[in-house]
Amino acid sequence: MAQSLSFKKISSFTADSSAKLKGVWKPLRRFLFFSLADEAVVPQKNISVSIERGKLSVVYASRFLSRISIKGSREYTFDEDKYPQPEELASSLSLAVNEFGAGRNVTITLGLPKAWTAVRTAEFPAAVKENISNVIAYEMDRLTPFSAEEALFDFRVLQDTGERITLLVMAARADTVKPYIAALRDNGFKVTGITSRLAGMGMLCRNLDKKTDTLYIEIGENGYDGALFTEGGLAHIFSGEFSGGDENAWADTVAADLTSQADAGKSNGKTIQVIADLKSGRQSLRGLLESRLPMPLKVVENVETAIRLPDSLRTRPYPAIANAVQSLGPKSPEFNLLKMGSREERKIPIGLTVVLLCGLLVVWLFSMFAPVTAEEKRLEEIDSLITSKKEDVRKVETLKKNIAELETEISRIENFKEGRPLTLNILKELTIILPNSAWLTRVRIAETTVDIEGYASSATELLSKLEASKFLKKAEFASPTFRDARMNSDRFVIKMEMDTTQQQPEEGEKNAAK
């Protein structure tokens, strides 16, 4: 039991660590493989032209540093029972470009009406992946009403199980589309993309709940066109027409078709919501549809998406806007019939990674050599400082030498002074000790002895006085005394020794002397 719990803890820890690493690696990988081309450092412009029955919608968009701006939109009306002719499209586009101020070098994306395209789902063995474009061309007459020679086509992978691959194939008759391309080319425009009008509407779904797929429907005066988007990409296109009846009948028809499409798209296990673009005259259908649909319904004007639309736009043809934004996005549109199913292998951009590695190398080299250079510079500064202070150091050394000599001299003097009392001190002591009735005729001070000669009224009294001195000891007569009748005094000669034990000055006296 304990082993089972331990194994579960290890498994849980491993799963959590793996999830965290994935969460860190995804933004890190995106940063390391950042592509300047994808971020459109060079400004790009695109005009999306949406061809409709009796109408032409033109949207002008630009991109710079990943910021896409909708610059303007125009709608041109024609015979409501016919599609605009190539010359009419070219002249209308020229007029729109002049109004936008876009210039002739802008790229053009054509959005074809649903009636011009055939959208089919096809399933093939996974082995056809390496040559899938040729396989689709070979199977074109089976999948669509067109042959490979007369079709423009592209595809999207819906599902890949490893053994089988499911594709969504879109095709259009080349003879119908090429006159428009030629007319635009003759007027100086370059067509870079051809897709369905509704193919780019998945852009509106990418900011919504990732667990939700979307049914987009555009309801007009005489019918509706719609598309199913799974994982933000086109999965199916459908349409219908209104034939008489009142709005309740129209709501029943639309609700039935949307419910059928939703049931068919629920195979991936996700819920489905409906986004509707209600044209003028069909706003009253919203309440009728909401009461009949088993899934939520939103109006396209109220959906918050990455497409920011200025309030100054005269019209808001959302399919044309979405196709223009998708054409300027970092990824190519999902369907571009000019590609004929070809896929360019996208190389992982490593430019930023190389720049970062070069930066790290420079930082590493700097970290290696910068301290050495800094220390060398510091040593040079120290050497310069030492050189500038050499003269001061020499003067200091001379002063130290003089001080040492003076201290030696002072010490010698102090030793001499302490080893032997000064003559003045001896004389001062004799002056203090001897009475006033005695005077000296001769004083001789040697290294350790003092000899005095003189006269005193009583010579014997002098010995005790001299013995009491702190500087003298062993006072005695050096010769017999005699009375000098003429001087009426005793003449004496006394010799003494210096008392060296009493000759050291007290500590207070030394400090005072210093």
Side-chain angles (χ1 to χ4, degrees), residues 9-29:
K9 289 181 179 180
I10 294 174
S11 300
S12 177
F13 175 77
T14 304
D16 293 342
S17 301
S18 178
K20 291 180 180 179
L21 288 175
K22 287 181 180 179
V24 173
W25 169 244
K26 189 173 181 180
L28 180 62
R29 184 180 185 277

Side-chain angles (χ1 to χ4, degrees), residues 484-514:
D484 188 337
R486 188 175 60 86
M487 300 293 294
N488 193 27
S489 299
D490 294 336
R491 188 179 186 281
F492 60 86
V493 177
I494 299 174
K495 65 177 180 179
M496 300 162 286
E497 294 181 2
M498 294 183 184
D499 189 356
T500 57
T501 60
Q502 299 296 328
Q503 289 175 4
Q504 300 294 334
E506 295 181 359
E507 189 68 25
E509 293 179 356
K510 290 183 179 181
N511 293 336
K514 292 181 180 179

Side-chain angles (χ1 to χ4, degrees), residues 79-346:
D79 187 347
E80 62 180 12
D81 295 329
K82 297 180 181 179
Y83 292 104
Q85 296 300 307
E87 295 75 13
E88 293 174 331
L89 184 147
S91 60
S92 299
L93 184 59
S94 297
L95 180 61
V97 168
N98 291 333
E99 292 180 4
F100 296 147
R104 297 280 170 163
N105 60 339
V106 64
T107 59
I108 306 297
T109 300
L110 287 182
L112 305 181
K114 193 267 179 187
W116 290 10
T117 60
V119 180
R120 301 288 187 272
T121 302
E123 187 174 329
F124 298 98
V128 305
K129 287 182 182 180
E130 298 180 359
N131 199 24
I132 193 168
S133 298
N134 293 334
V135 172
I136 293 174
Y138 183 78
E139 297 285 338
M140 184 62 64
D141 55 354
R142 183 179 65 85
L143 298 174
T144 68
F146 320 121
S147 64
E149 294 77 12
E150 61 183 9
L152 301 175
F153 70 92
D154 201 0
F155 68 92
R156 176 196 174 208
V157 177
L158 295 178
Q159 187 178 16
D160 186 357
T161 62
E163 296 181 357
R164 306 288 293 179
I165 182 170
T166 304
L167 307 176
L168 183 69
V169 180
M170 179 185 294
R173 190 179 297 277
D175 293 342
T176 303
V177 179
K178 286 184 178 180
Y180 290 89
I181 299 175
L184 292 174
R185 183 176 60 247
D186 293 341
N187 282 269
F189 297 109
K190 181 182 179 182
V191 178
T192 58
I194 298 177
T195 185
S196 170
R197 283 186 58 254
L198 303 178
M201 286 305 298
M203 295 288 296
L204 294 173
C205 311
R206 291 179 181 171
N207 285 25
L208 302 178
D209 189 356
K210 293 183 179 180
K211 297 181 180 179
T212 304
D213 290 337
T214 304
L215 274 168
Y216 171 78
I217 186 167
E218 186 179 280
I219 303 176
E221 295 290 340
N222 301 314
Y224 59 90
D225 291 316
L228 171 64
F229 296 96
T230 59
E231 306 291 341
L234 180 65
H236 181 60
I237 291 178
F238 58 94
S239 62
E241 295 183 357
F242 300 138
S243 57
D246 56 9
E247 287 191 345
N248 285 306
W250 297 339
D252 291 337
T253 301
V254 174
D257 201 353
L258 289 175
T259 304
S260 175
Q261 299 294 335
D263 293 338
K266 286 182 179 178
S267 58
N268 58 5
K270 293 187 177 181
T271 59
I272 294 180
Q273 63 179 348
V274 178
I275 297 178
D277 184 6
L278 302 175
K279 302 297 183 181
S280 59
R282 291 289 176 256
Q283 295 295 328
S284 57
L285 281 176
R286 178 176 181 178
L288 297 175
L289 288 175
E290 287 179 339
S291 64
R292 288 166 169 78
L293 290 174
M295 72 283 290
L297 172 69
K298 294 183 179 180
V299 179
V300 68
E301 289 86 353
N302 300 330
V303 175
E304 295 183 0
T305 69
I307 304 175
R308 299 291 182 246
L309 304 177
D311 295 333
S312 59
L313 289 184
R314 298 179 186 175
T315 59
R316 297 192 176 187
Y318 287 96
I321 291 172
N323 281 331
V325 173
Q326 193 177 59
S327 297
L328 292 173
K331 296 181 180 180
S332 300
E334 287 186 320
F335 291 95
N336 185 355
L337 303 185
L338 289 178
K339 289 184 177 181
M340 300 295 288
S342 63
R343 292 289 186 271
E344 295 180 0
E345 184 178 353
R346 191 180 181 192

